[in-house]
Amino acid sequence: MDLIISSLLETDLYKFSMGQAIYHNFPDYTTTWSFKCRNQDVHFTPEMVDEIKRQIYAYCDLSFTEDELEYLSKIKWMKKSYIDFLRLWHPRYEDFTITTDAACGLAIETNGTWLNTSMYEIPTLAIVNEVYFRMNYDYKELYASFEEKLTEKIKLLTEGTYNIGAFSEFGLRRRLSAQAQELAVTRLRDSDLGASKFVGTSNVYLAKKCNVTPVGTMAHEWIMCVGQGNHKHNPAYSNWYALEYWVKEYGILNGTALTDAITTDCFLRDFQLTYSTLFSGVRHDSGDPIEWGEKMIKHYESLGIDPKTKTLLFSDSLDFERASNIFAHFNGKAKVAFGIGTYIANDTKEPALNIVMKTTACNGQDVAKISDVVGKGMCKNPEYVEYLQRCIDWRMEHEA
């Protein structure tokens, strides 16, 4: 099998956005990341695990080229100090523990500095996904079905069956293959999509290669580690710490806030006038999107901010039909954008994998996400989740 990850740019843009903020503010933080396959009927064979190890070992042998660093340096919020760090940086295979000790046949854990381990998540998931689909199915048949479905869904936009406004491709971590993702990005870039507009991709390598815009700001790990990695912090204020350090690093640049790390209601306690003004918008990743969007509009209005000046970015398990319905509801009320992943990058005749790799510890302490729906969190210690929930509940009930 050819190398799946051929460049260190082949990760989501928010890994560089968070990486720079980590480098300048939390260079000594350590984290543990754990892999989980949520599909109950999926099994990775020992041969698959061996190939995954080989691919990750090859990934760890990569370094940034000067051409790649020059591309990153042209992103307006990237700083020279971080670019210089990346010039010296490469992944460490020693940070990985890969075994067959899991019900699905594959266990992966990474341990090390947050600077390192944060960068491993996306390439690891892309490798696992592609190895599984290439070794478990007839890949040529899968790719043919992927291409056929891609043509059909582009036609739906072109003919105006769906209108989703501005959208980006977010599918790197769960793509069918590098080949499939590149096909999707180039076809979307080159097609007449009617009233809809393809903006770019989260995959920085593909953005560079295909001359489209790289897209992405922050992930849950930022709120979890900044807010819960310091043992002196009350975790119910995780969002405040995360927003504060983000503004310290970026000012008004690169400003899309993620709302659901410890529930959107708790997030709104900290997303008051200063942050609501400085951040250009917010991202939805769990819960009912209509209810969430209406809640955000009401929040902006309560602060005297015109919601039409802010972006509502939706990124939770979207397809074109769901995105079209959301766009129709909010168009004219706020700026609306979408990040669409698996539906674009791995829609074939076979079901996609539901695999994740999440931060489970920071500085030796448990961390957790409590999103707006049950089941999206991942923590090894149920007692810590209960503690975090109690902290959130106490704040919501007692804080004026």
Side-chain angles (χ1 to χ4, degrees):
M1 193 180 299
D2 293 336
L3 293 185
I4 293 171
I5 302 295
S6 58
S7 165
L8 292 183
L9 278 188
E10 195 148 22
T11 191
D12 287 336
L13 178 63
Y14 67 17
K15 287 298 182 178
F16 293 113
S17 297
M18 292 186 294
Q20 178 170 284
I22 294 166
Y23 175 69
H24 288 138
N25 297 281
F26 308 102
D28 59 342
Y29 272 31
T30 60
T31 54
T32 297
W33 292 68
S34 303
F35 168 84
K36 183 177 182 179
C37 179
R38 292 170 173 161
N39 305 79
Q40 297 300 314
D41 57 345
V42 166
H43 183 76
F44 294 87
T45 66
E47 292 77 17
M48 290 179 187
V49 176
D50 286 343
E51 179 61 22
I52 289 166
K53 288 180 179 178
R54 188 183 76 85
Q55 291 283 348
I56 291 176
Y57 188 85
Y59 156 72
C60 291
D61 200 38
L62 296 172
S63 297
F64 284 100
T65 67
E66 287 302 316
D67 181 59
E68 291 169 341
L69 294 174
E70 176 67 18
Y71 177 81
L72 282 177
S73 71
K74 291 179 180 177
I75 298 174
K76 60 184 176 180
W77 54 81
M78 287 295 168
K79 299 174 182 177
K80 292 181 179 179
S81 56
Y82 182 58
I83 299 297
D84 273 344
F85 164 75
L86 292 179
R87 185 168 281 112
L88 303 173
W89 184 82
H90 68 86
R92 280 172 37 89
Y93 190 72
E94 294 80 5
D95 291 343
F96 287 81
T97 302
I98 308 169
T99 72
T100 58
D101 300 333
C104 68
L106 174 65
I108 305 174
E109 190 167 274
T110 60
N111 292 275
T113 64
W114 190 15
L115 272 171
N116 280 358
T117 52
S118 174
M119 296 292 280
Y120 302 155
E121 175 197 1
I122 307 302
T124 298
L125 291 174
I127 286 169
V128 169
N129 216 71
E130 186 162 346
V131 167
Y132 177 80
F133 282 103
R134 284 189 181 272
M135 296 184 70
N136 199 52
Y137 298 101
D138 183 321
Y139 173 74
K140 289 184 179 180
E141 287 186 8
L142 273 189
Y143 187 80
S145 70
F146 171 82
E147 193 168 9
E148 181 181 347
K149 285 174 173 283
L150 179 63
T151 298
E152 291 173 358
K153 63 184 60 146
I154 288 176
K155 184 179 179 182
L156 292 172
L157 293 182
T158 301
E159 295 178 345
T161 302
Y162 299 129
N163 175 15
I164 63 176
F167 71 101
S168 301
E169 185 276 325
F170 274 20
L172 172 54
R173 72 186 64 204
R174 293 176 187 160
R175 67 187 183 185
L176 171 63
S177 65
Q179 178 188 22
Q181 189 184 19
E182 182 171 348
L183 177 69
V185 168
T186 54
R187 288 283 307 278
L188 289 167
R189 178 198 65 189
D190 297 338
S191 297
D192 176 3
L193 302 178
S196 304
K197 182 181 179 181
F198 178 63
V199 176
T201 175
S202 62
N203 182 335
V204 184
Y205 173 76
L206 270 188
K208 179 178 183 294
K209 184 175 182 179
C210 300
N211 194 29
V212 298
T213 303
V215 180
T217 302
M218 70 173 71
H220 296 98
E221 67 173 281
W222 176 254
I223 298 112
M224 292 161 64
C225 293
V226 174
Q228 301 169 39
N230 185 328
H231 302 187
K232 297 177 183 179
H233 289 174
N234 181 335
Y237 293 82
S238 293
N239 287 302
W240 184 88
Y241 290 107
L243 294 169
E244 184 74 4
Y245 275 99
W246 199 263
V247 170
K248 176 185 174 184
E249 182 67 30
Y250 293 113
I252 63 171
L253 298 175
N254 202 17
T256 302
L258 183 57
T259 70
D260 70 331
I262 54 169
T263 74
T264 294
D265 287 340
C266 192
F267 167 84
L268 291 178
R269 293 293 180 96
D270 294 314
F271 198 60
Q272 293 304 313
L273 184 59
T274 297
Y275 295 134
S276 290
T277 301
L278 290 174
F279 282 80
S280 59
V282 285
R283 177 160 75 94
H284 169 267
D285 199 51
S286 65
D288 184 280
I290 303 299
E291 290 180 10
W292 175 88
E294 291 293 343
K295 183 179 293 187
M296 292 309 309
I297 287 172
K298 183 178 179 181
H299 180 75
Y300 280 126
E301 289 175 340
S302 73
L303 298 173
I305 296 172
D306 183 357
K308 294 179 183 178
T309 67
K310 298 297 181 179
T311 297
L312 304 180
L313 172 60
F314 297 87
S315 63
D316 181 30
S317 303
L318 294 171
D319 58 25
F320 286 169
E321 181 178 5
R322 283 194 285 272
S324 186
N325 291 335
I326 294 168
F327 182 76
H329 183 90
F330 289 108
N331 188 28
K333 298 181 180 180
K335 298 176 183 178
V336 183
F338 300 95
I340 304 177
T342 306
Y343 176 71
I344 291 177
N346 196 359
D347 185 15
T348 73
K349 65 177 186 176
E350 299 293 342
L353 292 182
N354 187 354
I355 56 174
V356 294
M357 195 160 178
K358 299 289 187 182
T359 325
T360 50
C362 183
N363 297 331
Q365 176 171 291
D366 295 298
V367 295
K369 177 180 76 166
I370 297 180
S371 68
D372 292 332
V373 294
V374 176
K376 294 200 76 171
M378 182 173 167
C379 181
K380 293 181 178 180
N381 185 355
E383 291 183 358
Y384 178 76
V385 178
E386 293 173 6
Y387 161 71
L388 175 57
Q389 186 66 64
R390 288 199 309 272
C391 290
I392 295 169
D393 290 345
W394 194 96
R395 181 183 182 190
M396 299 301 291
E397 292 170 10
H398 294 89
E399 186 179 78

